[in-house]
Amino acid sequence: MAASQNGGGSDPKNEAKRLKTDGNDAENDGEHTAERSISAFEVGRILRESAREKNIFVHGKLDDQEAVIILEKTPITQDVLQEMLKSSTQMLEMRNDIYSTYQLRPPPHLNGIKTTVICPATEKHVKKYLRQETFLVEETEEDYQSITLPYINSQSFSLQWVYNILEKKAEADRIVFEDPDPRVGFVLLPDFKWDQKQLDDLYLIAIVHRKDVKSLRDLTPDHLPLLRNVREKGLEAIMKRYSVPASKLRVMLHYQPSYYHLHVHFISLDYEAPGCGVERAHLLADVIQNLQEEPEYYRKHTLTFPIRADDTLLTKFKEAGRV
């Protein structure tokens, strides 16, 4: 994320806890402030939870403002494994022949919970994390012009958090690489889904400096220098920093995107990240090739995307008889 506007998120990945807002709250008083603020969170309802992914999404209030809090168990990594086995207390739960199970209780510094707070949270943030039915929409060129684009233009999608990153007003210390060129440049930084403690779930976002490209639909051959630059320099920066080659990465765009400012996802092939399915993901290499061969590809072609049941855009498509 870095974060996403249709959702949003946060967390300086080298810490177990962090508050994410659209401003600079995380830079105030450090961990003490974060702990004090999180303790004031008033639980409202559970939006979604997953025992397999070991996370929970909660809607509530923080200092009388609407908020969403995301709690995720941090992964066990090789560098802490030996210490965890040696220093944890254990309680036997069951033993049967060669099998036994224990409840391990690691010391606090090995038992962190990554905490993301979105505050103030809008209705759109809440909807993003709410478990709900999903539909596939086939959007033609005409649909985009008559339904999707008017909907996008009518909504107040705040991109201030994106501009804060681009202008170094927030998260400047998290930037892995930047090309400052105003036409083909971008910043590359870890997505909030990645805690930067292991490479199996490596996830970075390249956010372009240009502000005139909302999504895949806006792309033309004029944007090929930008797209090639993001791909080439992004891969080079990741190889240099993390020693992960291009052959181990998905480099892709989402349609629909979660926020309407062009950005590219760099994701480890070993990570089954949300949004990697064929119904939403478009490999950047394919996008470049499609634009080379057919200049109007993304303006003319029908594009399919998933949409949640209570998304207003789905209502617009239903009203037009397209779903």
Side-chain angles (χ1 to χ4, degrees):
M1 201 249 279
S4 69
Q5 188 352 9
N6 259 8
S10 69
D11 176 76
K13 299 311 188 170
N14 56 350
E15 298 179 7
K17 307 178 198 171
R18 152 141 146 63
L19 289 178
K20 163 73 171 78
T21 68
D22 287 339
N24 295 315
D25 289 354
E27 299 173 5
N28 290 341
D29 296 326
E31 185 175 348
H32 180 67
T33 299
E35 289 183 1
R36 185 169 64 245
S37 297
I38 292 172
S39 68
F41 182 81
E42 299 175 13
V43 176
R45 57 172 173 155
I46 306 301
L47 300 174
R48 189 167 83 226
E49 59 183 318
S50 171
R52 186 175 70 85
E53 297 179 359
K54 297 177 176 57
N55 58 28
I56 188 168
F57 299 75
V58 188
H59 178 212
K61 289 200 171 183
L62 185 61
D63 298 330
D64 294 324
Q65 291 184 306
E66 296 295 318
V68 172
I69 188 169
I70 305 168
L71 303 175
E72 303 173 74
K73 288 291 293 181
T74 53
I76 300 171
T77 56
Q78 183 175 348
D79 59 320
V80 302
L81 178 60
Q82 196 62 41
E83 182 184 358
M84 178 173 286
L85 293 174
K86 285 185 175 181
S87 59
S88 298
T89 60
Q90 65 182 46
M91 180 174 62
L92 179 67
E93 291 185 330
M94 181 277 294
R95 178 177 290 125
N96 183 357
D97 192 30
I98 64 172
Y99 302 101
S100 56
T101 61
Y102 297 85
Q103 185 68 242
L104 287 184
R105 294 175 181 168
H109 71 283
L110 297 179
N111 198 30
I113 296 178
K114 187 181 75 174
T115 303
T116 301
V117 176
I118 306 163
C119 182
T122 66
E123 181 181 356
K124 185 166 283 294
H125 291 113
V126 174
K127 285 182 178 179
K128 173 175 181 177
Y129 297 114
L130 181 65
R131 185 184 298 279
Q132 56 186 282
E133 192 174 7
T134 303
F135 298 85
L136 279 181
V137 169
E138 294 182 357
E139 178 193 80
T140 65
E141 177 190 9
E142 182 180 346
D143 291 335
Y144 179 72
Q145 294 297 332
S146 63
I147 303 174
T148 306
L149 187 57
Y151 166 76
I152 293 171
N153 291 336
S154 70
Q155 301 299 303
S156 55
F157 298 117
S158 173
L159 292 173
Q160 188 56 52
W161 68 271
V162 174
Y163 302 149
N164 286 345
I165 292 172
L166 295 176
E167 296 165 13
K168 311 297 192 306
K169 294 179 179 178
E171 305 187 46
D173 60 329
R174 302 180 66 243
I175 293 175
V176 171
F177 173 82
E178 178 179 16
D179 179 339
D181 188 284
R183 300 301 295 173
V184 301
F186 63 98
V187 298
L188 181 70
L189 69 166
D191 185 273
F192 292 126
K193 299 178 189 68
W194 184 37
D195 63 10
Q196 300 181 68
K197 293 181 179 178
Q198 60 284 314
L199 297 178
D200 287 350
D201 56 348
L202 177 145
Y203 197 142
L204 295 101
I205 297 287
I207 303 175
V208 305
H209 279 296
R210 292 181 60 158
K211 298 180 180 180
D212 60 341
V213 189
K214 295 184 181 70
S215 74
L216 205 61
R217 280 291 190 191
D218 295 325
L219 294 176
T220 71
D222 291 339
H223 300 110
L224 283 171
L226 168 64
L227 300 176
R228 293 190 187 107
N229 191 54
V230 170
R231 185 172 187 270
E232 292 169 10
K233 290 186 178 176
L235 290 171
E236 181 181 334
I238 291 172
M239 182 62 186
K240 182 176 181 180
R241 173 68 70 92
Y242 305 107
S243 300
V244 177
S247 59
K248 294 291 292 179
L249 293 169
R250 296 185 191 93
V251 185
M252 66 188 198
L253 297 90
H254 283 152
Y255 192 79
Q256 294 275 331
S258 55
Y259 52 97
Y260 293 96
H261 179 105
L262 191 70
H263 56 284
V264 177
H265 305 255
F266 291 77
I267 308 172
S268 169
L269 276 176
D270 295 324
Y271 179 34
E272 295 293 331
C276 283
V278 295
E279 69 276 11
R280 191 179 179 204
H282 298 256
L283 291 175
L284 180 55
D286 291 344
V287 172
I288 291 171
Q289 181 173 318
N290 289 338
L291 288 172
Q292 289 172 333
E293 296 178 355
E294 189 174 341
E296 295 291 301
Y297 187 96
Y298 290 102
R299 294 193 173 183
K300 300 291 186 182
H301 275 240
T302 295
L303 298 180
T304 301
F305 60 87
I307 190 167
R308 295 168 184 256
D310 65 352
D311 194 307
T312 305
L313 182 57
L314 178 62
T315 302
K316 300 293 184 183
F317 270 85
K318 286 183 176 180
E319 290 172 351
R322 295 292 294 121
V323 177

